[in-house]
Amino acid sequence: MDLPPVGLGTMGIDDPDAVATALSVGYRHLDTARIYDNEAAVGEGLAASEVARDEVTVATKLWIDNLAPDEVGPAARESADRLGVEAIDLLYVHRPRGAYDPEATLPALDRLVDEGLVRNVGVSNFEPAQLDRAIDVLDAPLAAHQTELHPLFYRPELLSHARERGYDVVAYSPLAGGRVREADAVRSVAAAHDAAPEAVAIAWATAKEPVAAIPKASSEAHLRANLAAADLDLAPDEVAAIDAVEREEELFPE
C-alpha cells in the first residue's frame, strides 16, 4: 500500500463536515471501525467531498464479534454500505479476540479480496507470533498492522517485525490523548523547533519506517497542524531522545 504519512483517525468523530474538511485540506487516508459507530458519518463526509474516491484510502475494522467465518462477509458488506463505497480499501481484524481464529477468519477475508469487496487486509493489536501466523495463513499479502504508538508507549520490536516481513505500521493514538505534552524530551524538542509537542510526536512517529500516523482531529486548525507535522524534520539525536523516554502508558491495553 502507499499510505500517506498522516491520516485521520476518526474514533469519536460523528460529524461528516469534519471528514469533508479533512479531505479538503489534504488528508487521503480515513480510518474508522464498526465499533466506533461512525462509518455512516465518515461515508457522508467522503461523499460530500470533491476529492475523487480513488484518491482516498478508506479503512475500517471488524470487531471481535464479527470474526467467525460466516460473519466476516456480511459484516464487511454492512460496513461498505454504511461507508457508501463499492470496495473497502483496507479492512482490519480489530483485535485477535472473541471469534477470531486465524485458520477460519483469515480465509474469509481472502474470499472478500477475491470478490473485490476488500482491496487490502490488515490486522490490529497483534503480537509478533500472531502476525507471523496471519502472514502464513493469508493468501493476500498483509498490508498493515495498526498498533498504539506514541512517545509514552513504544514497541520497537513491532517496527522491526514490519520491516522484516514487508507491511506498513499504522500508529493510532500518536498524541496519547494529549499526554505527549507530559514528556520532557518531547517538550524540549518542541522548544528547539518552535513547534507544538503534538507536532513533534507525529514527526517522531512518521520518522520511523514504515509508520503512518492517524491522529484524531476535527477542527480545521488541528487538522492542518497534524498534517503539516510530517514535514517537521527531527535530527537523529532528537528522535533518539524521544525513543529513550522511560515512561510507558498504554492507553488501550488488551
Side-chain angles (χ1 to χ4, degrees):
M1 295 192 70
D2 186 19
L3 293 174
V6 178
L8 179 66
T10 67
M11 186 173 70
I13 295 177
D14 57 9
D15 182 2
D17 288 343
V19 176
T21 298
L23 292 169
S24 73
V25 302
Y27 285 80
R28 295 296 181 265
H29 175 195
L30 304 175
D31 180 88
T32 183
R34 286 176 64 88
I35 197 68
Y36 300 168
D37 197 26
N38 68 350
E39 289 173 322
V42 172
E44 289 175 28
L46 179 65
S49 169
E50 295 181 358
V51 177
R53 167 68 186 93
D54 61 5
E55 293 183 15
V56 183
T57 297
V58 178
T60 191
K61 310 175 196 74
L62 296 174
W63 188 237
I64 62 175
D65 57 356
N66 298 120
L67 298 177
D70 59 345
E71 291 284 340
V72 167
R77 291 182 184 91
E78 290 171 1
S79 288
D81 287 344
R82 283 192 289 266
L83 289 163
V85 298
E86 292 184 1
I88 298 168
D89 298 305
L90 177 56
L91 182 63
Y92 293 95
V93 173
H94 203 145
R95 286 187 181 272
R97 291 172 43 206
Y100 178 69
D101 174 359
E103 281 72 22
T105 303
L106 300 176
L109 286 166
D110 275 325
R111 287 192 289 274
L112 297 182
V113 174
D114 292 340
E115 294 169 13
L117 181 67
V118 172
R119 296 195 173 107
N120 296 278
V121 174
V123 296
S124 182
N125 302 295
F126 275 43
E127 294 295 324
Q130 294 168 325
L131 288 160
D132 282 329
R133 189 64 188 144
I135 291 167
D136 290 343
V137 172
L138 280 167
D139 287 333
L142 181 67
H145 177 218
Q146 189 168 140
T147 184
E148 183 175 343
L149 190 157
H150 49 75
L152 303 181
F153 186 75
Y154 169 47
R155 294 185 61 192
E157 69 272 18
L158 292 179
L159 301 189
S160 297
H161 190 279
R163 287 190 288 268
E164 291 167 3
R165 299 304 300 262
Y167 57 86
D168 288 335
V169 171
V170 176
Y172 71 76
S173 298
L175 306 181
R179 293 180 179 88
V180 293
R181 286 181 167 269
E182 299 172 9
D184 290 342
V186 174
R187 291 201 305 270
S188 177
V189 173
H193 288 266
D194 192 23
E198 290 82 1
V200 167
I202 293 170
W204 168 82
T206 57
K208 300 181 176 301
E209 293 291 340
V211 174
I214 49 167
K216 171 192 169 185
S218 54
S219 72
E220 183 172 345
H222 286 156
L223 285 165
R224 288 186 182 277
N226 289 348
L227 194 63
D231 295 328
L232 183 60
D233 189 17
L234 303 185
D237 63 321
E238 293 174 325
V239 173
I242 298 173
D243 286 350
V245 171
E246 293 184 2
R247 178 180 175 188
E248 287 196 1
E249 185 169 331
E250 186 177 11
L251 301 181
F252 301 98
E254 188 66 33

